[in-house]
Amino acid sequence: DTLDRVAATEQLRGTNDRLERLSAVLSHDLRDPLNTAMATTTLARAEADGDVVERLDDLESVHARMETLIEGVLALTQGLSGIDPAPVSLPDAGGEAWRTARTAGDASGATLSVDGEGVLMADETHLQRLLENLFGNAVNHAGSAVSVTLGTTADGFYIADDGPGIPPAQRDRVFERGVAGGDGTGFGIAIVQEVADAHGWAVALTHDEHNGVRYEITGVEIVDE
């Protein structure tokens, strides 16, 4: 048993060292040249016209996707720390997260409806990260004209969309890291799971009455306004 514990400790130390090196690569070796590429694209746009502008739009979309991927991997390798729950208005957090998710993706025709009021005990920053990833997931998988609903339940909240849903064969793998469909990176739902776990919440995938996808977050402490 002692040898097993020593071996497990060494293995964990090695894993942590590799994660730290990966975080350093993502934070500096990849992000720095990406920032340079983004700045160069911005300068080029000022002098471009015609078809070149359209190509620069495509390039900026690629840059945004790379940035999202880097942030997602960093979130998973570094873990969640500094969880500091406080009363947070779910509609307010949802509205802010929706603006971010709608801007980041092609969601020109997407709409958000808020069903009910609720004040939760949550870390506001991480709650918004969770909501941004679920909203972004709806846009990526259900299309730019998707209708999304954010609502409250007796012990938490849910996010539902009216998209085509998830094929039964893929539902069991939704929460696996790196598993993606559509234009996703494969880290969004894994980050949702990380945030929920850090708060002591549970996340479940169901299907909405309109044949879309519904994520339910339960075990949330609801406080009076």
Side-chain angles (χ1 to χ4, degrees):
D1 290 343
T2 301
L3 290 176
D4 288 343
R5 286 195 296 271
V6 171
T9 300
E10 289 299 320
Q11 183 177 9
L12 179 59
R13 183 178 294 114
T15 299
N16 289 338
D17 288 343
R18 288 192 295 273
L19 290 175
E20 288 180 5
R21 290 196 295 271
L22 175 59
S23 296
V25 169
L26 291 169
S27 298
H28 302 289
D29 296 355
L30 292 183
R31 181 165 276 164
D32 286 350
L34 175 59
N35 289 337
T36 300
M38 295 170 71
T40 303
T41 303
T42 300
L43 292 175
R45 177 181 292 279
E47 302 176 358
D49 57 13
D51 293 340
V52 176
V53 173
E54 184 176 349
R55 293 179 181 178
L56 291 175
D57 289 341
D58 293 339
L59 188 57
E60 286 184 339
S61 296
V62 172
H63 291 161
R65 181 176 173 81
M66 291 173 65
E67 177 68 15
T68 300
L69 182 58
I70 290 173
E71 290 178 355
V73 176
L74 278 173
L76 293 174
T77 57
Q78 295 175 347
L80 295 170
S81 60
I83 294 291
D84 185 18
V88 180
S89 166
L90 181 63
D92 289 350
E96 186 65 29
W98 178 253
R99 282 189 289 272
T100 301
R102 194 171 185 271
T103 301
D106 178 16
S108 56
T111 59
L112 173 68
S113 300
V114 179
D115 182 14
E117 298 288 332
V119 177
L120 319 175
M121 288 299 295
D123 184 288
E124 185 171 8
T125 299
H126 292 305
L127 173 61
Q128 286 194 200
R129 176 186 289 179
L130 179 149
L131 294 172
E132 287 170 7
N133 278 284
L134 287 177
F135 291 156
N137 185 72
V139 171
N140 286 331
H141 294 278
S144 61
V146 63
S147 294
V148 180
T149 302
L150 171 65
T152 56
T153 62
D155 63 344
F157 56 95
Y158 69 89
I159 295 90
D161 65 57
D162 63 351
I166 300 173
Q170 298 179 15
R171 293 173 192 171
D172 291 340
R173 303 193 63 204
V174 165
F175 293 97
E176 293 181 20
R177 299 180 182 184
V179 176
D183 296 327
T185 62
F187 293 101
I189 302 303
I191 292 173
V192 169
Q193 184 72 68
E194 294 271 354
V195 173
D197 289 345
H199 282 85
W201 303 339
V203 185
L205 168 66
T206 63
H207 275 67
D208 188 71
E209 59 183 345
H210 301 296
N211 298 320
V213 174
R214 174 172 168 136
Y215 288 93
E216 295 185 359
I217 293 83
T218 56
V220 182
E221 181 181 355
I222 311 294
V223 297
D224 294 333
E225 292 189 64

